[in-house]
Amino acid sequence: MDYLGNHMLAEFHECDSDVLNNSGKLEQIMTEAAKLAGATVVSTHFHSYSPTGQSGVVVIQESHFAIHTWPEYNYAAVDLFTCSAKMDFEKAYDYLIDTLGAGKHSFSIVPRGYIKTAMAGTNEEME
Amino acid sequence: MDYLGNHMLAEFHECDSDVLNNSGKLEQIMTEAAKLAGATVVSTHFHSYSPTGQSGVVVIQESHFAIHTWPEYNYAAVDLFTCSAKMDFEKAYDYLIDTLGAGKHSFSIVPRGYIKTAMAGTNEEME
């Protein structure tokens, strides 16, 4: 199956609420996580909610890496969209578990952009 | 089931490649789509790839709205993460079908951040 991108959706529960509500710290963590995954950071955009919660998007050369936090529930949602097969999401994931202090965590990968022509190309090679 | 957010993942195939490679046009489209969904736009960040393709993230008060395009495959991947139950993703989706000129399209919704305490609250009310 040929897809143009991969979208990793990660759930982090039982996190440190102080970290989840610290915009500067989250920006450092997400930037470092992007680098660990092998991404090239283009720009970072972090936003604080009132009274609590943070949103952050790291625009990377390979697409995007985002976090949204609910400190009151010790929960953070992270997603990494990448068009590169070389990205090492697991390194970023392990780093996020440590730095967010996540007691429970999981992730799933959603392939994006199924291209029939790519499949046709594969079939031709098989003939 | 109680979740903190919803993550809509949309696939747009057979799109107009000129639109998919026009960063300024995509920024206008994504900003308008966010407004149609009922989102409050905080900032927009668009990035062009060489030789082709665009990435754009609209940071919204309710989380994020992103697009990644492959003009050479007439494909765009869009995702909308929202912590608001009031967002009308279908309005944005219909608008994107029209403006991207998508011949084929689909979307799925991934609930994010299942919170047991919220369920516990519901159970208490039922007692």
Side-chain angles (χ1 to χ4, degrees):
Chain A
M1 300 287 273
D2 285 303
Y3 291 92
L4 295 172
N6 272 312
H7 204 159
M8 289 87 166
L9 311 180
E11 308 276 306
F12 297 97
H13 288 275
E14 301 178 4
C15 298
D16 182 331
S17 60
D18 289 338
V19 175
L20 296 194
N21 212 23
N22 185 332
S23 184
K25 183 77 180 165
L26 287 177
E27 189 162 356
Q28 278 177 18
I29 288 172
M30 288 293 286
T31 303
E32 181 62 22
K35 288 178 183 169
L36 283 170
T40 304
V41 175
V42 174
S43 56
T44 59
H45 313 280
F46 280 70
H47 178 71
S48 298
Y49 295 102
S50 176
T52 187
Q54 306 288 333
S55 250
V57 179
V58 180
V59 177
I60 57 177
Q61 187 69 34
E62 299 80 6
S63 290
H64 83 251
F65 195 25
I67 187 167
H68 304 290
T69 75
W70 281 258
E72 69 276 34
Y73 290 109
N74 304 91
Y75 169 74
V78 170
D79 73 297
L80 172 64
F81 191 110
T82 173
C83 55
S84 166
K86 292 177 187 167
M87 293 273 282
D88 189 345
F89 178 65
E90 281 186 78
K91 270 192 189 166
Y93 181 69
D94 289 343
Y95 176 76
L96 287 170
I97 292 167
D98 286 344
T99 52
L100 301 178
K104 288 188 183 176
H105 44 83
S106 64
F107 75 90
S108 56
I109 297 179
V110 182
R112 304 290 302 271
Y114 167 67
I115 298 298
K116 227 173 184 175
T117 49
M119 281 295 284
T122 309
N123 290 340
E124 279 167 20
E125 282 167 20
M126 290 171 69
E127 281 171 8
Chain B
M1 300 287 273
D2 285 304
Y3 292 93
L4 294 173
N6 273 312
H7 204 158
M8 290 87 166
L9 311 181
E11 308 275 305
F12 298 96
H13 288 275
E14 302 178 4
C15 298
D16 181 332
S17 60
D18 289 338
V19 175
L20 296 193
N21 213 22
N22 184 332
S23 183
K25 183 78 180 161
L26 287 177
E27 189 162 357
Q28 277 177 20
I29 289 172
M30 287 293 286
T31 303
E32 181 61 22
K35 288 178 184 170
L36 284 171
T40 303
V41 174
V42 174
S43 56
T44 60
H45 313 280
F46 281 70
H47 178 72
S48 299
Y49 294 102
S50 175
T52 187
Q54 307 288 333
S55 250
V57 179
V58 180
V59 176
I60 57 177
Q61 187 68 34
E62 298 80 5
S63 289
H64 81 253
F65 196 26
I67 187 167
H68 304 291
T69 76
W70 280 258
E72 69 276 35
Y73 291 109
N74 303 92
Y75 169 75
V78 169
D79 73 297
L80 171 63
F81 190 110
T82 174
C83 56
S84 166
K86 293 177 187 165
M87 293 274 281
D88 190 345
F89 179 64
E90 282 186 79
K91 269 192 188 165
Y93 182 69
D94 289 343
Y95 175 76
L96 288 170
I97 292 167
D98 285 346
T99 52
L100 301 177
K104 288 188 183 174
H105 44 84
S106 64
F107 76 89
S108 55
I109 297 179
V110 182
R112 304 288 303 270
Y114 167 67
I115 298 298
K116 229 175 183 174
T117 50
M119 282 294 282
T122 310
N123 290 341
E124 278 166 21
E125 283 167 19
M126 289 172 69
E127 280 170 9

